[in-house]
Amino acid sequence: MFIDIPSELEAALIDLPLPPWELDGSSSARSTMEEYRTELRATPRFEDTAASLRHTLTRAGGGYAVLRLGNLAKALGTGDRFLRLATAFAAEVAIPFSPFPRWPLWKDIGVKVDKAPGKSSGIGYNAFHMDLVNATLPPDYTTLLCVRPDPLGGGLSLLSDAHAAVARLSGNSRALLAETAYHYGTFFDLYGVGEEYKPFPILDGSAADEGFVRFTAKMLERSDLGRAHADAAQDLAAELIQGQVSLMLQPGDYLIVNQRRFLHGREALRSGQEAVPVADRRLLLQLFLRAPADVSSAA
């Protein structure tokens, strides 16, 4: 699932000055994506790399990829020029967009020791979930670009094949998960993701590997669920953990997750975060992607 950038492509990208992106509402403007695509497809081996990325994200048994942009990050830093390249790669998968008015495209996920530990910016275990689980149109892809890993060595990224986990459940559990009985979280100050979905089914009835598995383990603690539905969700949580894979993102690693296939989470950061200067703490940048309206995932 790791995709290296060929050396000749890296050399060409370092010297490629892409223009700033423009937005059309909350999404990257078509003109920006077309300009990026034109520039990048003129570089050696870009099309092969982009095709490998798309295939890894959508093939049978696939659903996540780590694009290794570390050498580009070293050469360019992690400022605007580097982010334009990362955005251009993302645009080869689907349409970059931001559901948060506060963040024009990329959202910072740093470390705040006073946050609830299980939050994305907290220091504790962040259990398996899909992003914007309670939206009628959640992002098709969630992506995380590593600027700095935890300097103390914690914070492994966790991934699990949601449909494979569902397939291991009993028929009774699957039937309960398909009922419109689940709810989680709040819904405000968002755009581009439809309306609030409450209550919702965890399984939407789509064929295997196609539909969202609308799950967040946080609903087990923060939602008032009936016993049978809670037990079925707990069974799914256990199967997700049983099938999980973990990886440590390095500077410049770009993790892209197909939310119709995989759920994600994070191990706890190592203790002692209070003593780490804010400027040295783990930092990820998040970007969401929307597949074209006529397909469930990029081809």
Side-chain angles (χ1 to χ4, degrees):
M1 302 298 180
F2 291 89
I3 298 177
D4 292 310
I5 307 299
S7 58
E8 58 266 47
L9 177 56
E10 284 181 338
L13 294 179
I14 289 170
D15 295 326
L16 187 68
L18 294 176
W21 59 73
E22 295 182 1
L23 297 181
D24 180 5
S26 63
S27 302
S28 294
R30 181 183 295 274
S31 59
T32 294
M33 292 193 294
E34 289 177 350
E35 186 169 3
Y36 283 5
R37 186 166 291 120
T38 297
E39 292 286 345
L40 286 167
R41 289 187 175 178
T43 58
R45 300 196 58 188
F46 173 77
E47 291 195 68
D48 291 344
T49 305
S52 177
L53 175 62
R54 290 191 295 268
H55 178 69
T56 301
L57 290 167
T58 59
R59 66 175 174 80
Y64 75 91
V66 178
L67 194 61
R68 313 217 79 162
L69 304 178
N71 289 337
L72 293 172
K74 288 179 182 177
L76 300 174
T78 54
D80 288 346
R81 284 189 64 194
F82 177 69
L83 289 182
R84 289 169 197 166
L85 288 173
T87 303
F89 274 106
E92 290 294 313
V93 175
I95 302 168
F97 82 104
S98 172
F100 307 112
R102 179 182 173 189
W103 303 98
L105 202 58
W106 291 87
K107 175 187 175 185
D108 291 0
I109 301 179
V111 174
K112 298 177 181 178
V113 296
D114 57 346
K115 280 282 189 179
K119 294 280 190 180
S120 59
S121 58
I123 62 175
Y125 172 64
N126 191 356
F128 279 113
H129 62 281
M130 68 169 282
D131 288 329
L132 294 160
V133 66
N134 60 336
T136 55
L137 296 173
D140 295 291
Y141 297 86
T142 185
T143 81
L144 294 167
L145 178 61
C146 180
V147 175
R148 289 187 302 273
D150 177 8
L152 301 181
L156 285 166
S157 294
L158 303 175
L159 298 143
S160 192
D161 185 328
H163 290 281
V166 168
R168 295 192 294 269
L169 296 173
S170 69
N172 182 61
S173 289
R174 290 197 297 271
L176 288 164
L177 295 175
E179 294 181 4
T180 307
Y182 295 89
H183 52 93
Y184 172 76
T186 57
F187 190 91
F188 63 92
D189 202 19
L190 298 170
Y191 51 51
V193 292
E195 301 176 351
E196 183 175 14
Y197 198 3
K198 180 181 180 180
F200 54 81
I202 290 177
L203 306 182
D204 67 5
S206 299
D209 289 344
E210 291 185 3
F212 291 111
V213 176
R214 290 180 176 271
F215 179 77
T216 171
K218 296 172 186 176
M219 70 171 63
L220 299 171
E221 298 179 356
R222 302 181 194 173
S223 300
D224 184 17
L225 300 174
R227 179 62 182 271
H229 291 100
D231 285 348
Q234 184 62 63
D235 290 344
L236 176 55
E239 290 298 337
L240 289 166
I241 293 171
Q242 179 68 27
Q244 77 180 27
V245 295
S246 61
L247 52 92
M248 178 63 77
L249 296 179
Q250 301 300 323
D253 281 351
Y254 189 23
L255 171 63
I256 302 177
V257 182
N258 184 340
Q259 290 215 117
R260 294 179 181 273
R261 303 280 183 88
F262 272 71
L263 301 181
H264 66 285
R266 183 204 65 222
E267 291 283 10
L269 305 184
R270 289 283 175 84
S271 61
Q273 295 296 317
E274 297 83 356
V276 178
V278 173
D280 295 334
R281 292 175 183 168
R282 183 178 191 260
L283 176 61
L284 304 180
L285 302 180
Q286 186 172 45
L287 175 68
F288 296 105
L289 306 178
R290 167 79 63 216
D294 59 340
V295 294
S296 62
S297 59

